[in-house]
Amino acid sequence: MVEAIMINWVYVILLFILGFITYYRKSLDLFGSAVMIIMGIVIIFSAGTNWLLLIILFLVMSLLATKYSKKYKQSLGEFEGRRTSKNVISNGVVACFMAAFGGYYLPFVGGFIGAIATATADTLASEIGVLDQHPRLITTFQKVDPGTNGAVSGLGTAVGIVGAAIIGIAAYFLGIMDNPLLAIGVAIISGTVGCFMDSILGALFENRHLITNEHVNLMATIVGAIVGILLL
C-alpha cells in the first residue's frame, strides 16, 4: 500500500516536470499546463497511473501532429501554436470524469477510451488532414479549402482511425481493458463517430460563429464517451 502511494507521488512529480516541459516548449500556456497537471493528479489517485499514461499518449501524438509541417500550416493560417487551458479542458475533462468514476461503473471504462480516442482521432485528422488538397464539407460534400471547419478528407479520416486504433491497442497493453479486440473496437468506433460529430458540429455551428472550437471539441468527446459506454 505504502509502495503504491510512493509510486503515485513519483508520477505526480513526473507530471509536474511534463507540465513544465510543455510550457517551456510553448506547447501549452501556463494555465493550460496547470490544468493538465490537475487533471492528471485526479486520474492518478482515482484510476491509476496506467490511465494517466493513455492520456499522455494522446498528448504526445497531438503535439507531434501539431508540429508536423509547421511552415505549411502557417502559410495556410492553420497552425495553432501554443494551446490554452480551454483546449486542455475541452479535450480532456470528459476523459478525466470517466477515469474518476470508472472504478464505480464499469462502462465508464469504455467512456474513458471513447473520449480519448475521439480527441486523438479529431486532433490527428485536423492536423494531418489539412495537408490533403481535396477536402469536402461533411454536410454537403462540396469542395472547400484545407482547414475549413467541418471539412473531411481521405487522409484525415485514415489518420484519425489509425490514431484511435493506437489508443485502443495502448488501452489493452496498459491493462485498462483486458480484451484486445474489444479495446480496439471501442476505440475505433467511438473515436470515428466522435470525430465525424466534431466535423458536423463545425460545419453546422462553428462556421456560423454560434459556438467555438472548444465547444465543438467538448461535445465531440461527450459523444465519443457515450458511444464507448454503449459498446460495453
Side-chain angles (χ1 to χ4, degrees), residues 1-11 44-45 49:
M1 181 66 178
V2 175
E3 183 179 352
I5 294 175
M6 289 299 296
I7 291 175
N8 284 346
W9 279 107
V10 169
Y11 274 94
I44 288 173
F45 288 100
T49 54

PDB file of all heavy atoms in Angstrom, residues 1-11 44-45 49:
ATOM      1  N   MET A   1       0.831  -1.204   0.000  1.00  0.00           N
ATOM      2  CA  MET A   1       0.000   0.000   0.000  1.00  0.00           C
ATOM      3  C   MET A   1       0.871   1.261   0.000  1.00  0.00           C
ATOM      4  O   MET A   1       0.673   2.182  -0.784  1.00  0.00           O
ATOM      5  CB  MET A   1      -0.909  -0.008   1.235  1.00  0.00           C
ATOM      6  CG  MET A   1      -1.837   1.198   1.325  1.00  0.00           C
ATOM      7  SD  MET A   1      -3.064   1.223   0.003  1.00  0.00           S
ATOM      8  CE  MET A   1      -3.976   2.695   0.438  1.00  0.00           C
ATOM      9  N   VAL A   2       1.848   1.265   0.921  1.00  0.00           N
ATOM     10  CA  VAL A   2       2.750   2.410   1.013  1.00  0.00           C
ATOM     11  C   VAL A   2       3.554   2.549  -0.272  1.00  0.00           C
ATOM     12  O   VAL A   2       3.762   3.657  -0.782  1.00  0.00           O
ATOM     13  CB  VAL A   2       3.697   2.250   2.223  1.00  0.00           C
ATOM     14  CG1 VAL A   2       4.721   3.380   2.232  1.00  0.00           C
ATOM     15  CG2 VAL A   2       2.900   2.243   3.516  1.00  0.00           C
ATOM     16  N   GLU A   3       3.984   1.392  -0.818  1.00  0.00           N
ATOM     17  CA  GLU A   3       4.767   1.411  -2.054  1.00  0.00           C
ATOM     18  C   GLU A   3       3.950   1.986  -3.211  1.00  0.00           C
ATOM     19  O   GLU A   3       4.469   2.764  -4.013  1.00  0.00           O
ATOM     20  CB  GLU A   3       5.219  -0.005  -2.393  1.00  0.00           C
ATOM     21  CG  GLU A   3       6.094  -0.068  -3.633  1.00  0.00           C
ATOM     22  CD  GLU A   3       6.546  -1.478  -3.938  1.00  0.00           C
ATOM     23  OE1 GLU A   3       6.304  -2.379  -3.098  1.00  0.00           O
ATOM     24  OE2 GLU A   3       7.133  -1.684  -5.019  1.00  0.00           O
ATOM     25  N   ALA A   4       2.662   1.618  -3.275  1.00  0.00           N
ATOM     26  CA  ALA A   4       1.789   2.112  -4.338  1.00  0.00           C
ATOM     27  C   ALA A   4       1.622   3.629  -4.238  1.00  0.00           C
ATOM     28  O   ALA A   4       1.634   4.336  -5.253  1.00  0.00           O
ATOM     29  CB  ALA A   4       0.434   1.424  -4.271  1.00  0.00           C
ATOM     30  N   ILE A   5       1.480   4.117  -2.999  1.00  0.00           N
ATOM     31  CA  ILE A   5       1.333   5.562  -2.787  1.00  0.00           C
ATOM     32  C   ILE A   5       2.596   6.294  -3.216  1.00  0.00           C
ATOM     33  O   ILE A   5       2.540   7.355  -3.846  1.00  0.00           O
ATOM     34  CB  ILE A   5       1.008   5.861  -1.302  1.00  0.00           C
ATOM     35  CG1 ILE A   5      -0.376   5.298  -0.946  1.00  0.00           C
ATOM     36  CG2 ILE A   5       1.044   7.362  -1.043  1.00  0.00           C
ATOM     37  CD1 ILE A   5      -0.736   5.445   0.512  1.00  0.00           C
ATOM     38  N   MET A   6       3.756   5.708  -2.871  1.00  0.00           N
ATOM     39  CA  MET A   6       5.028   6.323  -3.254  1.00  0.00           C
ATOM     40  C   MET A   6       5.163   6.383  -4.779  1.00  0.00           C
ATOM     41  O   MET A   6       5.615   7.392  -5.334  1.00  0.00           O
ATOM     42  CB  MET A   6       6.186   5.520  -2.654  1.00  0.00           C
ATOM     43  CG  MET A   6       6.309   5.660  -1.144  1.00  0.00           C
ATOM     44  SD  MET A   6       6.625   7.385  -0.643  1.00  0.00           S
ATOM     45  CE  MET A   6       8.219   7.670  -1.386  1.00  0.00           C
ATOM     46  N   ILE A   7       4.750   5.304  -5.459  1.00  0.00           N
ATOM     47  CA  ILE A   7       4.808   5.277  -6.923  1.00  0.00           C
ATOM     48  C   ILE A   7       3.915   6.368  -7.505  1.00  0.00           C
ATOM     49  O   ILE A   7       4.284   7.066  -8.459  1.00  0.00           O
ATOM     50  CB  ILE A   7       4.392   3.887  -7.446  1.00  0.00           C
ATOM     51  CG1 ILE A   7       5.445   2.847  -7.081  1.00  0.00           C
ATOM     52  CG2 ILE A   7       4.193   3.928  -8.967  1.00  0.00           C
ATOM     53  CD1 ILE A   7       5.073   1.436  -7.439  1.00  0.00           C
ATOM     54  N   ASN A   8       2.720   6.524  -6.915  1.00  0.00           N
ATOM     55  CA  ASN A   8       1.804   7.571  -7.385  1.00  0.00           C
ATOM     56  C   ASN A   8       2.430   8.954  -7.262  1.00  0.00           C
ATOM     57  O   ASN A   8       2.289   9.790  -8.161  1.00  0.00           O
ATOM     58  CB  ASN A   8       0.497   7.518  -6.594  1.00  0.00           C
ATOM     59  CG  ASN A   8      -0.397   6.372  -7.029  1.00  0.00           C
ATOM     60  OD1 ASN A   8      -0.187   5.764  -8.076  1.00  0.00           O
ATOM     61  ND2 ASN A   8      -1.398   6.048  -6.222  1.00  0.00           N
ATOM     62  N   TRP A   9       3.106   9.199  -6.144  1.00  0.00           N
ATOM     63  CA  TRP A   9       3.715  10.513  -5.953  1.00  0.00           C
ATOM     64  C   TRP A   9       4.890  10.733  -6.900  1.00  0.00           C
ATOM     65  O   TRP A   9       5.173  11.861  -7.308  1.00  0.00           O
ATOM     66  CB  TRP A   9       4.146  10.697  -4.495  1.00  0.00           C
ATOM     67  CG  TRP A   9       2.992  11.082  -3.619  1.00  0.00           C
ATOM     68  CD1 TRP A   9       2.354  10.319  -2.698  1.00  0.00           C
ATOM     69  CD2 TRP A   9       2.313  12.349  -3.635  1.00  0.00           C
ATOM     70  NE1 TRP A   9       1.309  11.019  -2.137  1.00  0.00           N
ATOM     71  CE2 TRP A   9       1.263  12.271  -2.679  1.00  0.00           C
ATOM     72  CE3 TRP A   9       2.478  13.531  -4.349  1.00  0.00           C
ATOM     73  CZ2 TRP A   9       0.398  13.324  -2.434  1.00  0.00           C
ATOM     74  CZ3 TRP A   9       1.614  14.597  -4.108  1.00  0.00           C
ATOM     75  CH2 TRP A   9       0.594  14.477  -3.162  1.00  0.00           C
ATOM     76  N   VAL A  10       5.575   9.647  -7.249  1.00  0.00           N
ATOM     77  CA  VAL A  10       6.638   9.758  -8.262  1.00  0.00           C
ATOM     78  C   VAL A  10       6.032  10.221  -9.581  1.00  0.00           C
ATOM     79  O   VAL A  10       6.588  11.101 -10.270  1.00  0.00           O
ATOM     80  CB  VAL A  10       7.360   8.409  -8.446  1.00  0.00           C
ATOM     81  CG1 VAL A  10       8.265   8.466  -9.686  1.00  0.00           C
ATOM     82  CG2 VAL A  10       8.182   8.073  -7.218  1.00  0.00           C
ATOM     83  N   TYR A  11       4.882   9.663  -9.933  1.00  0.00           N
ATOM     84  CA  TYR A  11       4.199  10.068 -11.163  1.00  0.00           C
ATOM     85  C   TYR A  11       3.701  11.509 -11.085  1.00  0.00           C
ATOM     86  O   TYR A  11       3.664  12.213 -12.093  1.00  0.00           O
ATOM     87  CB  TYR A  11       3.043   9.122 -11.476  1.00  0.00           C
ATOM     88  CG  TYR A  11       3.459   7.898 -12.258  1.00  0.00           C
ATOM     89  CD1 TYR A  11       3.780   6.712 -11.612  1.00  0.00           C
ATOM     90  CD2 TYR A  11       3.554   7.946 -13.647  1.00  0.00           C
ATOM     91  CE1 TYR A  11       4.172   5.587 -12.332  1.00  0.00           C
ATOM     92  CE2 TYR A  11       3.943   6.833 -14.377  1.00  0.00           C
ATOM     93  CZ  TYR A  11       4.245   5.656 -13.714  1.00  0.00           C
ATOM     94  OH  TYR A  11       4.647   4.556 -14.434  1.00  0.00           O
ATOM     95  N   ILE A  44      -4.527   9.997 -11.516  1.00  0.00           N
ATOM     96  CA  ILE A  44      -3.580   9.131 -10.807  1.00  0.00           C
ATOM     97  C   ILE A  44      -4.199   8.541  -9.547  1.00  0.00           C
ATOM     98  O   ILE A  44      -4.119   7.332  -9.289  1.00  0.00           O
ATOM     99  CB  ILE A  44      -2.305   9.910 -10.444  1.00  0.00           C
ATOM    100  CG1 ILE A  44      -1.472  10.183 -11.696  1.00  0.00           C
ATOM    101  CG2 ILE A  44      -1.458   9.126  -9.427  1.00  0.00           C
ATOM    102  CD1 ILE A  44      -0.275  11.082 -11.461  1.00  0.00           C
ATOM    103  N   PHE A  45      -4.847   9.394  -8.748  1.00  0.00           N
ATOM    104  CA  PHE A  45      -5.334   8.930  -7.444  1.00  0.00           C
ATOM    105  C   PHE A  45      -6.752   8.357  -7.489  1.00  0.00           C
ATOM    106  O   PHE A  45      -7.214   7.800  -6.498  1.00  0.00           O
ATOM    107  CB  PHE A  45      -5.260  10.073  -6.431  1.00  0.00           C
ATOM    108  CG  PHE A  45      -3.852  10.402  -6.023  1.00  0.00           C
ATOM    109  CD1 PHE A  45      -3.179  11.481  -6.578  1.00  0.00           C
ATOM    110  CD2 PHE A  45      -3.188   9.607  -5.108  1.00  0.00           C
ATOM    111  CE1 PHE A  45      -1.872  11.774  -6.219  1.00  0.00           C
ATOM    112  CE2 PHE A  45      -1.881   9.889  -4.734  1.00  0.00           C
ATOM    113  CZ  PHE A  45      -1.226  10.970  -5.293  1.00  0.00           C
ATOM    114  N   THR A  49      -2.088   5.090 -12.531  1.00  0.00           N
ATOM    115  CA  THR A  49      -1.105   5.664 -13.442  1.00  0.00           C
ATOM    116  C   THR A  49      -1.256   5.148 -14.868  1.00  0.00           C
ATOM    117  O   THR A  49      -0.903   5.846 -15.819  1.00  0.00           O
ATOM    118  CB  THR A  49       0.319   5.359 -12.951  1.00  0.00           C
ATOM    119  OG1 THR A  49       0.462   3.940 -12.755  1.00  0.00           O
ATOM    120  CG2 THR A  49       0.584   6.044 -11.623  1.00  0.00           C
TER     121      THR A  49
END
